Amino acid sequence: MKAIEYLKYGLPDVLKLKEIEMPIPKSNEILIRIIATAVNSGDVRLRKADPFAVRLFFGLFKPKTNILGGVFSGKIEQIGSAVTLFKVGDEVFGHTDMSFGTYAEYKCLPENGSIALKPVTIIHNEAAVIPFGGITALHFIKKANITRGQRVLINGASGAVGTAAVQLAKHFGAIVTGVCSTSNIDLVKSIGADKVMDYTKEDFTKNGKTYDVIFDTVNKIVISESVKSLNVNGKLILSAAGISEMFHGLFVSMTSSRRIKVVTGVASHTADDINFLKVLIESGELKSVIDRTYSLEQMAEAHTYVEKGHKKGSVVITI
Ligand SMILES: NC(=O)c1ccc[n+]([C@@H]2O[C@H](COP(=O)([O-])OP(=O)(O)OC[C@H]3O[C@@H](n4cnc5c(N)ncnc54)[C@H](OP(=O)(O)O)[C@@H]3O)[C@@H](O)[C@H]2O)c1
């Protein structure tokens, strides 16, 4: 099968198109023919080993996992002898968690992974881009316990995580302000934000408005300033935090006289989360936002674009 391999960390040109052996499903696994995947900000971090901590988990000198890609939409071609949840021919979408490997024509996954039947209302390209932003936003929204009537500001409302966060916070009944650049105002309005703030013209930490939750998806805020825009008992979600922001957040949570809590960490997920997103897609509450589409052969080009950090929603790879 065709796959995009990388054998060393580096620039997008470390991603090479190769012909490799097809995987064979174990008894508890399904073999998925990948029809679409996505290039996410996480893939770029792994390709570059940036931050350095990537090397501690994914290989100190060279990557241990040689095929990137953590999300997919496709069709089941084979099942292992013990598989009961899916059958050959099922159309599925999901997240591979830390096994990666969807920059390829085929991928085996355990049947009890973060996998669900593809929503019937959307095509594979649209399904493939849901799990990355969707499960990240869902994880942090649940952790911060966003509830009906709360005032929520989402910074970076135009990215993969941000577009999902706006729509999911609306689903949970929040009054949502999305913060984005001028060219993304219409997009953020179109996915349901009640208010949109253009960060090139207005600084949300300086306009006197306060929120119950501030969800920063891009790690471009000043924590000490943002905390002042939170109400008593407010939550600051830092989904893109590095180590230093995590420590800063811990310090704020431990010392805040206004009982502010900072929520950070790595998003986790199960099949229930993917099924939850599927239901929202089918009811029309969650829509895919696709910026550009590339072929498997154009992977380096797709990485170059995603690395710039200005994409609107997600970048799809069709296979
Ligand atoms: N904790 C976890 O488990 C977890 C999971 C997934 C992702 N992440 C992290 O989350 C981050 C975001 O991921 P993503 O995939 O959503 O990124 P992305 O799709 O690349 O989106 C970034 C978006 O933010 C906007 N932006 C850039 N500068 C901004 C600013 N100063 N203020 C407001 N918006 C700004 C960009 O548009 P403009 O430039 O036009 O404004 C772009 O639309 C990444 O660092 C990723 O590693 C963490």
Side-chain angles (χ1 to χ4, degrees), residues 188-247:
V188 175
K189 272 187 197 156
S190 76
I191 53 172
D194 299 287
K195 286 187 188 146
V196 182
M197 203 184 292
D198 180 345
Y199 70 79
T200 67
K201 302 203 169 95
E202 189 175 354
D203 180 344
F204 76 84
T205 66
K206 297 207 165 40
N207 62 9
K209 293 185 181 129
T210 59
Y211 301 89
D212 301 305
V213 178
I214 294 174
F215 186 162
D216 175 44
T217 73
V218 282
N219 205 22
K220 288 195 177 165
I221 59 165
V222 179
I223 295 176
S224 52
E225 290 302 312
S226 303
V227 163
K228 292 179 196 159
S229 300
L230 280 168
N231 298 327
V232 172
N233 286 319
K235 309 250 173 62
L236 176 62
I237 302 173
L238 303 176
S239 65
I243 297 288
S244 63
E245 292 84 16
M246 286 186 190
F247 277 113

Side-chain angles (χ1 to χ4, degrees), residues 34 37-38 67-72 96 100-104 107 296 319:
I34 311 281
T37 180
I67 304 177
L68 288 170
V71 293
F72 62 88
T96 66
F100 297 95
T102 64
Y103 289 0
K107 168 76 184 165
L296 193 64
I319 303 183

Side-chain angles (χ1 to χ4, degrees), residues 87-116:
K87 60 182 189 314
V88 170
D90 280 348
E91 298 196 302
V92 289
F93 78 125
H95 197 297
T96 66
D97 204 15
M98 293 299 170
S99 79
F100 297 95
T102 64
Y103 289 0
E105 289 180 304
Y106 294 90
K107 168 76 184 165
C108 285
L109 283 171
E111 64 165 339
N112 63 357
S114 296
I115 306 165

Side-chain angles (χ1 to χ4, degrees), residues 41 45 132 158-161 181 199 217-218 220 239 265 267 310-311:
S41 47
R45 285 180 183 277
F132 180 81
S158 53
V161 178
S181 60
Y199 70 79
T217 73
V218 282
K220 288 195 177 165
S239 65
H310 301 298
K311 69 181 162 64

Side-chain angles (χ1 to χ4, degrees), residues 44-277:
V44 171
R45 285 180 183 277
L46 293 195
R47 191 204 78 227
K48 294 164 66 179
D50 177 19
F52 185 84
V54 163
R55 292 177 186 263
L56 304 180
F57 297 98
F58 294 94
L60 199 52
F61 300 109
K62 56 183 186 167
K64 286 189 273 192
T65 304
N66 298 120
I67 304 177
L68 288 170
V71 293
F72 62 88
S73 184
K75 200 166 185 175
I76 299 182
E77 292 257 318
Q78 256 185 62
I79 57 172
S81 57
V83 168
T84 57
L85 298 177
F86 297 102
K87 60 182 189 314
V88 170
D90 280 348
E91 298 196 302
V92 289
F93 78 125
H95 197 297
T96 66
D97 204 15
M98 293 299 170
S99 79
F100 297 95
T102 64
Y103 289 0
E105 289 180 304
Y106 294 90
K107 168 76 184 165
C108 285
L109 283 171
E111 64 165 339
N112 63 357
S114 296
I115 306 165
L117 291 175
K118 180 181 81 63
V120 290
T121 48
I122 58 173
I123 61 171
H124 287 285
N125 279 11
E126 293 168 315
V129 302
I130 289 289
F132 180 81
I135 60 107
T136 306
L138 183 61
H139 169 90
F140 286 103
I141 283 173
K142 285 200 291 194
K143 250 183 123 179
N145 193 24
I146 290 179
T147 49
R148 185 156 299 283
Q150 283 192 318
R151 294 193 178 273
V152 175
L153 178 136
I154 294 165
N155 189 48
S158 53
V161 178
T163 51
V166 168
Q167 297 179 82
L168 292 176
K170 283 301 297 173
H171 167 76
F172 287 106
I175 301 153
V176 175
T177 299
V179 180
C180 61
S181 60
T182 314
S183 67
N184 289 323
I185 290 175
D186 288 346
L187 164 67
V188 175
K189 272 187 197 156
S190 76
I191 53 172
D194 299 287
K195 286 187 188 146
V196 182
M197 203 184 292
D198 180 345
Y199 70 79
T200 67
K201 302 203 169 95
E202 189 175 354
D203 180 344
F204 76 84
T205 66
K206 297 207 165 40
N207 62 9
K209 293 185 181 129
T210 59
Y211 301 89
D212 301 305
V213 178
I214 294 174
F215 186 162
D216 175 44
T217 73
V218 282
N219 205 22
K220 288 195 177 165
I221 59 165
V222 179
I223 295 176
S224 52
E225 290 302 312
S226 303
V227 163
K228 292 179 196 159
S229 300
L230 280 168
N231 298 327
V232 172
N233 286 319
K235 309 250 173 62
L236 176 62
I237 302 173
L238 303 176
S239 65
I243 297 288
S244 63
E245 292 84 16
M246 286 186 190
F247 277 113
H248 192 165
L250 190 62
F251 178 76
V252 171
S253 296
M254 287 167 65
T255 58
S256 166
S257 56
R258 296 188 303 123
R259 298 182 296 283
I260 303 295
K261 290 285 170 229
V262 180
V263 180
T264 63
V266 177
S268 58
H269 47 91
T270 65
D272 286 347
D273 297 317
I274 302 290
N275 271 302
F276 180 82
L277 299 175

